[in-house]
Amino acid sequence: MDAGIPVEVMMNSALVNNLAKVAKDAALQHGVLMRTKETPNSSELVTYTSFTLFPTPVPRAAFHQALAVQTHFNTLVDKLSQDPDFLQEALASTIAVDKFTAGLFKIHQQILKEGRSQSIVLGLNRSDYMLDQREDGTSALKQIEINTIAASFGGLASRTPELHRQILKVAGRLEDSQRILDNNPAAGMAGAMAKAWELYGSERAVVMFLVEDTQRNIFDQRCIEYELWKRNIPTTRKSFDDVRKTGSLDQDKKLFVDGQEVAVVYFRNGYMPEHYSTEEFWDTRLLMERSLAVKCPDISTHLAGTKKVQQVLAKPGVLEKFFPDQPQVVEQIRATFAGLYTLDLGPEGDKTVAMALAAPDRFVLKPQREGGGNNIYGSDICKVLQGMTDSTERMAYILMDKIQSVPSQNFLLRRDFPLKITNCLSEVGAFGAYVRHGEDMVMNECVGHLLRTKSSEHADGGVAAGVAVLDNPLLI
Ligand code: ADP
Ligand code: MG
Ligand code: MG
């Protein structure tokens, strides 16, 4: 290979051990941090966020393709969020059997009935991809999913380029160190939030980070907070329970939490059933959705990021409806779609089931869940599909082609795990940021990238789930 880390470096265990020490110290000094499992809500003891010892080779064309299509995905997500008929039709079967998505949908409908109180829309998303190996030896960029709520690691990804630069210099690879790309999604995300805050137009109003009770990944969020404070925009961190206890709307629907007016609610919580541990938190979400605060995302944009919507978008003719005069945009988006198949009742869904049972290793079965670790692979697909007592249960899922990437070798630096050479698979993410004011898109950008790498032994799971680790691309 012409551009990866040479085997003689990887195999030199004295060098690798020394580099690992250098790497961990560099992570602490550059703020690539995570609170520990033992003390998730205290910063007295913190550790490095898991990352790769070396950057991973990524084909240049595919990488740039992911960045280039991002503004179109921003536009698409935004259009979907404004199309109640599309969302209703796309999600009808899902919400009939999936209680969580149904709960979100109910809020969406309530807001439609009452009318949206805020015309400023702030979208921060991350579209994720893997490289599918083609028979001719080349690879194709295929979208895994798009995260329209709580897309994370834009903060820490802004700090990792320095790590790999430092490691490569110590490894005697000065030229490679200069190939590590700059990356600052935190600044770009904060830029979009700042725009929304300005449009809201109240200097004292805050950007509220709605956070989980367990806050291990706080430093990722802090990076964005600091970018906002740099612009003299006040931020605050509140949980669902804080908002439940101290949140209210005034007669203009301005949201006040703990006495402070909220200009922007940035959701880093609320994307899993577990986040709504009491029925009252659904009311709390509704309160925020109803308010004049800018929601990132609003409930419709949240729903636009479901896997069911992703599957419906891949049906022939659907993208064309959203981009009627832009065949190149349709083509650019569609080129990233893997095979996606409905499990709705009827002959098409029956065909999907038969196909999955005949060759389960070729597919991934996906429920409408976020946060990693929820997908079903291989023989478990048969168990799940055949074990259903009622065939309507299958409507909670979609089926997707399994992306077959070529593994690369690396060392994963994970606390309490031995350092060993590992076969790895990587996932590239592109961060999208946009702001719409009424009819006008006032900002639409790709604000950076993320590379996450995991051992090929794990089929599933993100960084927060403790499986994938942070990485940087080395373009080849
Ligand atoms: P989540 O919203 O929980 O992150 P994803 O769709 O991203 O759900 O799936 C989680 C992980 O499962 C991905 O990060 C990837 O490692 C793996 N995965 C998902 N879809 C596929 C696929 N089609 N082919 C191969 N791996 C996949
Ligand atoms: Mg997701
Ligand atoms: Mg994912």
Side-chain angles (χ1 to χ4, degrees):
M1 169 141 49
D2 62 311
I5 305 302
V7 181
E8 58 273 21
V9 174
M10 293 250 188
M11 291 301 161
N12 181 338
S13 61
L15 177 62
V16 164
N17 282 319
N18 182 47
L19 290 177
K21 286 186 195 155
V22 167
K24 290 174 192 176
D25 288 342
L28 298 177
Q29 288 191 303
H30 288 288
V32 183
L33 300 173
M34 194 159 289
R35 284 178 176 167
T36 62
K37 250 195 245 94
E38 297 78 12
T39 57
N41 287 328
S42 150
S43 292
E44 298 303 314
L45 286 175
V46 297
T47 185
Y48 58 92
T49 308
S50 303
F51 63 108
T52 58
L53 186 57
F54 298 112
T56 295
V58 172
R60 185 179 303 271
F63 181 77
H64 286 300
Q65 188 189 348
L67 302 190
V69 72
Q70 186 55 42
T71 54
H72 300 320
F73 272 115
N74 291 343
T75 306
L76 177 60
V77 166
D78 186 49
K79 282 175 189 266
L80 298 175
S81 77
Q82 293 175 83
D83 193 332
D85 294 340
F86 172 82
L87 289 176
Q88 164 101 46
E89 203 184 317
L91 292 168
S93 57
T94 310
I95 61 178
V97 290
D98 185 306
K99 260 184 77 182
F100 178 64
T101 311
L104 299 174
F105 195 80
K106 199 172 137 199
I107 294 179
H108 160 79
Q109 275 187 311
Q110 181 73 25
I111 296 300
L112 284 175
K113 202 169 86 191
E114 293 175 14
R116 290 190 177 120
S117 41
Q118 180 52 269
S119 63
I120 305 163
V121 168
L122 166 63
L124 296 175
N125 63 57
R126 200 189 67 225
S127 180
D128 292 332
Y129 306 87
M130 288 174 81
L131 289 173
D132 200 24
Q133 192 60 15
R134 288 187 291 222
E135 279 178 5
D136 64 2
T138 61
S139 55
L141 185 80
K142 291 295 167 193
Q143 188 184 47
I144 296 296
E145 61 153 348
I146 187 159
N147 294 289
T148 60
I149 181 167
S152 56
F153 294 107
L156 296 183
S158 307
R159 309 277 174 107
T160 56
E162 277 313 311
L163 293 190
H164 280 142
R165 285 182 189 134
Q166 178 66 18
I167 294 163
L168 290 171
K169 280 184 196 171
V170 176
R173 311 283 306 171
L174 181 61
E175 277 179 27
D176 285 336
S177 85
Q178 289 161 347
R179 290 167 55 206
I180 300 290
L181 302 172
D182 287 334
N183 193 26
N184 200 347
M189 291 163 81
M193 290 160 119
K195 186 93 218 158
W197 178 85
E198 270 164 33
L199 289 170
Y200 182 89
S202 165
E203 262 188 20
R204 262 166 313 162
V206 299
V207 174
M208 180 173 81
F209 285 52
L210 188 86
V211 298
E212 293 180 52
D213 294 332
T214 304
Q215 301 187 38
R216 276 196 76 194
N217 198 20
I218 189 168
F219 299 107
D220 181 49
Q221 300 164 5
R222 289 285 196 209
C223 292
I224 302 168
E225 288 179 50
Y226 298 146
E227 289 291 339
L228 288 166
W229 283 107
K230 261 195 218 169
R231 294 162 164 88
N232 299 321
I233 297 174
T235 73
T236 176
R237 301 172 61 82
K238 300 286 180 201
S239 67
F240 263 116
D241 206 42
D242 295 329
V243 181
R244 180 185 69 84
K245 285 193 188 124
T246 70
S248 62
L249 305 189
D250 75 2
Q251 73 267 25
D252 302 326
K253 295 197 183 170
K254 283 182 186 154
L255 174 64
F256 286 84
V257 175
D258 211 4
Q260 278 178 315
E261 184 179 352
V262 177
V264 176
V265 184
Y266 174 47
F267 285 89
R268 294 292 297 248
N269 188 3
Y271 54 88
M272 284 182 184
E274 297 74 31
H275 294 159
Y276 300 84
S277 52
T278 95
E279 204 52 38
E280 287 172 293
F281 289 172
W282 286 104
D283 299 334
T284 308
R285 176 85 190 253
L286 178 61
L287 177 89
M288 292 185 276
E289 293 297 332
R290 267 185 178 143
S291 77
L292 197 63
V294 180
K295 280 74 64 179
C296 179
D298 62 27
I299 191 78
S300 328
T301 306
H302 182 174
L303 287 169
T306 52
K307 277 126 191 144
K308 182 64 193 178
V309 165
Q310 182 187 8
Q311 178 256 305
V312 173
L313 288 172
K315 294 205 300 194
V318 177
L319 283 178
E320 280 80 357
K321 277 194 226 151
F322 293 101
F323 299 97
D325 310 315
Q326 294 170 285
Q328 301 93 328
V329 171
V330 169
E331 200 180 310
Q332 219 179 322
I333 293 176
R334 188 170 284 144
T336 68
F337 286 174
L340 288 147
Y341 311 95
T342 182
L343 281 161
D344 287 357
L345 294 188
E348 249 196 285
D350 292 346
K351 216 171 98 189
T352 303
V353 172
M355 191 172 74
L357 295 179
D361 289 332
R362 286 186 39 214
F363 302 103
V364 183
L365 184 63
K366 294 191 173 189
Q368 312 305 311
R369 291 291 176 272
E370 297 295 332
N374 299 299
N375 297 337
I376 298 155
Y377 300 86
S379 57
D380 288 342
I381 295 181
C382 305
K383 272 190 225 151
V384 169
L385 288 176
Q386 290 171 327
M388 288 173 179
T389 48
D390 182 336
S391 58
T392 59
E393 282 173 42
R394 77 188 197 197
M395 303 189 306
Y397 299 83
I398 58 135
L399 191 77
M400 182 175 185
D401 282 345
K402 185 168 178 196
I403 306 306
Q404 311 281 357
S405 301
V406 182
S408 63
Q409 296 206 310
N410 211 325
F411 294 86
L412 306 183
L413 300 174
R414 300 168 70 191
R415 183 179 165 226
D416 298 332
F417 281 85
L419 192 62
K420 62 169 200 276
I421 200 151
T422 306
N423 272 334
C424 296
L425 298 175
S426 299
E427 191 170 339
V428 179
F431 287 100
Y434 60 91
V435 180
R436 178 166 53 78
H437 192 192
E439 303 275 292
D440 302 328
M441 266 293 196
V442 292
M443 175 178 169
N444 181 6
E445 289 175 20
C446 175
V447 293
H449 60 267
L450 175 71
L451 190 71
R452 290 174 299 164
T453 293
K454 64 178 166 62
S455 161
S456 59
E457 287 165 19
H458 294 286
D460 207 313
V463 179
V467 172
V469 309
L470 301 176
D471 196 351
N472 279 290
L474 199 59
L475 298 187
I476 53 171

